[in-house]
Amino acid sequence: SNDDFALVRYNADGTLDTSFGTGGKVITAIGSGNDNAYSVVIQADGKIVAAGYTWNGSNNDFALLRYNADGSLDTGFGTGGKIIQAIGSSHDFGYSVTVQPDGKIVVAGNASNGFGNDFALLRYNSNGSLDAGFGTSGKVITNIGMDDVCYSVALQPDGKIVAAGYISTGNFINFVLARYNANGSLDTSFGTGGTVTTAVVSDPTWEFYNNTGYSVAIQTDGKIVVAGYAPDASGSSYDFALVRYNVDGNLDNSFGTGGKVTTT
């Protein structure tokens, strides 16, 4: 009747690891409605953190679960291994999770502002309590444009946090990046006031175009790669799209064409 969080663990040869959960599988209900997991990360101690969102009866909230290495819930985390976190008064969607070297957990997604969405980041201490030293009581909400959706988060070696997704200005949707200092403030040395918007493919004659970033990674040299999709030359279908940025947020012109690569 609804969705639950689901984790599966495989051995190195691709067979199910029967020491994990039940026959290699773990299914976890959070609420009475849909519970959707979108991201997973492994802590240094082998514990597993899964993030997504859950239906609270009237709207969606961030959901964060932590499991022991055998697939059982870590009851020392949150409430019985689970955290449900409302950010605003309407829909909140968690899409990506990462763990800092100090064990703190960063979850990224978006929160409704009543008209559209804003980037939303939460940081938790290792026990599941919100980190009061991050943003406002552990929460950071960033309005970039009309509608901002964050799908991915990554950590730089210097502790700065990079979040990626898309920004909508009505008929036009583009890649967007935001970089934050370790305390949750925007890093104003990055792009324009801490954010970068990129139209991977666009044509002024089109009534609509959609460039959506879904995943971000940091290279060892500090350059930032965002992957997603962009319109093809006709504007009627989509291609894989990659964009690479220099450390300051400028497009890396040594990559593809002006920092951009599209692949049919």
Side-chain angles (χ1 to χ4, degrees):
S1 59
N2 55 63
D3 299 323
D4 294 329
F5 271 41
L7 281 74
V8 181
R9 191 166 72 194
Y10 300 88
N11 295 309
D13 63 0
T15 58
L16 284 167
D17 176 9
T18 56
S19 70
F20 182 74
T22 303
K25 309 172 188 178
V26 172
I27 299 173
T28 309
I30 303 171
S32 59
N34 287 327
D35 309 313
N36 299 108
Y38 276 91
S39 184
V40 65
V41 66
I42 312 299
Q43 295 187 170
D45 60 3
K47 291 183 178 181
I48 302 161
V49 181
Y53 57 86
T54 182
W55 178 253
N56 65 21
S58 58
N59 54 62
N60 292 293
D61 293 329
F62 274 39
L64 189 65
L65 275 61
R66 191 164 72 189
Y67 300 85
N68 297 307
D70 63 359
S72 60
L73 282 167
D74 175 11
T75 55
F77 182 76
T79 301
K82 308 175 185 179
I83 294 173
I84 299 171
Q85 188 71 59
I87 301 172
S89 58
S90 189
H91 294 291
D92 307 313
F93 297 97
Y95 286 118
S96 187
V97 62
T98 190
V99 177
Q100 297 184 171
D102 62 4
K104 292 182 178 182
I105 301 165
V106 178
V107 185
N110 47 272
S112 173
N113 60 26
F115 302 97
N117 295 286
D118 296 329
F119 271 31
L121 278 74
L122 304 178
R123 191 166 72 192
Y124 296 90
N125 297 307
S126 59
N127 65 359
S129 61
L130 282 167
D131 176 12
F134 183 74
T136 302
S137 302
K139 307 174 186 179
V140 171
I141 299 173
T142 308
N143 177 265
I144 306 170
M146 183 183 298
D147 190 34
D148 313 312
V149 174
C150 177
Y151 282 123
S152 186
V153 67
L155 295 172
Q156 295 189 171
D158 62 2
K160 291 182 179 181
I161 300 165
V162 180
Y166 73 76
I167 179 174
S168 172
T169 55
N171 289 344
F172 308 116
I173 295 173
N174 292 315
F175 280 32
V176 68
L177 279 172
R179 190 164 74 190
Y180 301 85
N181 297 307
N183 65 1
S185 61
L186 279 169
D187 175 12
T188 55
S189 70
F190 182 76
T192 302
T195 68
V196 173
T197 300
T198 305
V200 184
V201 176
S202 63
D203 188 317
T205 66
W206 294 343
E207 293 183 3
F208 172 83
Y209 60 78
N210 183 348
N211 301 278
T212 294
Y214 271 112
S215 186
V216 62
I218 312 296
Q219 296 185 173
T220 54
D221 61 2
K223 292 182 178 182
I224 301 165
V225 180
V226 181
Y229 64 81
D232 67 4
S234 71
S236 60
S237 61
Y238 294 96
D239 294 335
F240 272 35
L242 291 170
V243 180
R244 191 165 73 187
Y245 302 86
N246 295 311
V247 176
D248 61 2
N250 289 322
L251 288 166
D252 176 10
N253 291 321
S254 70
F255 183 75
T257 303
K260 309 170 188 178
V261 172
T262 57
T263 306
T264 301

